[in-house]
């Protein structure tokens, strides 16, 4: 199993390999460093993650920027809607430890060989994100997900790998109750929570059905080592976590015990 710091272009398939197991840094190493910043991403890569996960939306002037919330209030010392601020003005504000809100291009430039899960927050950003991916030759470096209906369609039309939409996931989960699966799919992976309300989404039946069809399942956001180990033992391909160093260490110990 390669470490994140050793990831290269040949390892991009880690995100689409159903076997796993891998560790994915949620907004980088966001438990200990400012989320969705180059510093947080670098710390996650240094810790040995196999991939990065982060959020993308569009600035006022249409530049894809890496930030989760619709406003900059929580994660910077500034205030206002992301969509109401230009890229240049967004980068005036401190996102913690002197970091700035990076653009998607900044992240691709800094980590050209690291697999990435992109959570595109709005369909407004889709075309601009595709343009940046094309400019960087990064269409095969990423898997794109979104909770917004319609946001994934442009990526699929542009042959950019995507995760299953919420509706597609629901259909597949329901089908797994009877040991079935829809015959056609347009996605490369599932990206799901362990639970949604009282429902366990990442349960054994769903995971067996995904494995039967060769579809990787990445579960977010898991910071507990024991929970991660259980999910990996059930067949989860990847764990998305805020504290990647701990889970990378736990995975390494598990792999070592397996071969002793």
């Amino acid at each position: 199993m390669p470490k994140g710091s050793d990831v290269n272009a040949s390892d991009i398939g880690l995100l689409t390999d159903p076997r796993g197991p891998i560790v994915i840094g949620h907004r980088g190493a966001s438990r200990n460093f400012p989320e969705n910043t180059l510093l947080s991403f670098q710390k996650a890569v240094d810790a040995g993650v196999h991939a990065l996960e982060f959020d993308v939306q569009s600035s006022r002037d249409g530049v894809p920027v890496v930030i989760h919330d619709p406003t900059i209030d929580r994660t910077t010392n500034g205030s206002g809607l992301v969509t109401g601020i230009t890229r240049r003005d967004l980068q005036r504000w401190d996102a913690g430890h002197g970091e700035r809100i990076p653009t998607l291009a900044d992240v691709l430039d800094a980590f050209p060989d690291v697999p990435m899960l992109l959570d595109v927050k709005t369909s407004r950003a889709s075309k601009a994100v595709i343009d940046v991916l094309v400019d960087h030759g990064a269409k095969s470096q990423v898997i794109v997900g979104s909770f917004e209906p319609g946001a994934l369609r442009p990526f699929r039309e542009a042959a950019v790998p995507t995760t299953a939409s919420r509706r597609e996931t629901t259909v597949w989960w329901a089908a797994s109750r009877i040991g079935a699966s829809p015959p056609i799919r347009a996605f490369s992976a599932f990206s799901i929570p362990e639970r949604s309300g009282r429902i366990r989404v990442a349960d054994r039946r769903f995971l067996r059905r995904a494995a039967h069809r060769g579809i990787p399942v990445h579960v977010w956001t898991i910071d507990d080592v024991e929970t991660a180990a259980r999910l990996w033992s059930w067949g989860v391909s990847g764990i998305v976590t805020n504290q990647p160093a701990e889970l990378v260490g736990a995975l390494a110990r598990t792999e070592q015990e397996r071969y002793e």
Side-chain angles (χ1 to χ4, degrees), residues 13-47:
L14 285 171
L15 284 173
T16 56
D17 188 337
R19 294 170 297 178
I22 62 173
V23 177
I24 303 165
H26 182 242
R27 307 177 196 172
S30 57
R31 173 62 61 87
N32 298 313
F33 300 94
E35 68 179 57
N36 282 330
T37 62
L38 294 181
L39 174 63
S40 186
F41 298 145
Q42 186 62 60
K43 293 297 185 180
V45 171
D46 291 345

Side-chain angles (χ1 to χ4, degrees), residues 12-251:
I12 297 305
L14 285 171
L15 284 173
T16 56
D17 188 337
R19 294 170 297 178
I22 62 173
V23 177
I24 303 165
H26 182 242
R27 307 177 196 172
S30 57
R31 173 62 61 87
N32 298 313
F33 300 94
E35 68 179 57
N36 282 330
T37 62
L38 294 181
L39 174 63
S40 186
F41 298 145
Q42 186 62 60
K43 293 297 185 180
V45 171
D46 291 345
V49 296
H50 306 97
L52 295 170
E53 185 275 350
F54 54 89
D55 310 283
V56 183
Q57 50 188 308
S58 183
S59 67
R60 179 180 178 180
D61 47 345
V63 177
V65 291
V66 179
I67 186 170
H68 175 272
D69 296 1
T71 74
I72 66 172
D73 299 49
R74 179 179 64 86
T75 56
T76 78
N77 60 348
S79 181
L81 288 169
V82 174
T83 55
I85 307 172
T86 65
R87 185 271 307 171
R88 178 175 294 181
D89 286 342
L90 282 171
Q91 295 187 318
R92 292 172 47 204
W93 305 107
D94 188 344
H97 295 197
E99 291 291 301
R100 304 301 179 198
I101 298 171
T103 65
L104 174 59
D106 291 334
V107 179
L108 292 172
D109 287 339
F111 306 99
D113 300 321
V114 178
M116 299 175 182
L117 278 175
L118 274 57
D119 183 358
V120 175
K121 308 308 288 186
T122 68
S123 57
R124 176 179 184 269
S126 295
K127 183 181 184 305
V129 170
I130 292 170
D131 290 344
V132 171
L133 294 176
V134 170
D135 288 345
H136 284 73
K139 287 170 61 176
S140 63
Q141 185 180 347
V142 305
I143 296 182
V144 177
S146 181
F147 287 115
E148 183 169 308
L152 296 180
R153 182 176 301 157
F155 293 98
R156 293 176 179 178
E157 292 173 348
V160 177
T162 73
T163 63
S165 67
R166 182 178 291 179
R167 181 179 182 279
E168 288 167 331
T169 300
T170 300
V171 169
W172 277 69
W173 187 90
S176 73
R177 305 303 91 186
I178 57 172
S181 55
I184 299 174
R185 64 180 174 92
F187 51 88
S188 299
F190 289 107
S191 182
I192 60 174
E194 182 184 13
R195 292 180 176 274
S196 178
R198 296 183 178 180
I199 297 174
R200 182 184 292 277
V201 183
D203 67 4
R204 290 176 182 268
R205 282 189 287 183
F206 181 82
L207 293 170
R208 280 198 301 267
R209 183 51 37 183
H212 177 72
R213 294 295 296 271
I215 307 171
V217 179
H218 306 302
V219 177
W220 44 266
T221 304
I222 306 297
D223 294 335
D224 177 69
V225 169
E226 291 185 1
T227 301
R230 171 173 53 78
L231 290 170
W232 277 320
S233 73
W234 286 3
V236 165
S237 309
I239 297 292
V240 184
T241 180
N242 294 310
Q243 43 188 35
E246 288 81 354
L247 266 67
V248 167
L251 180 57

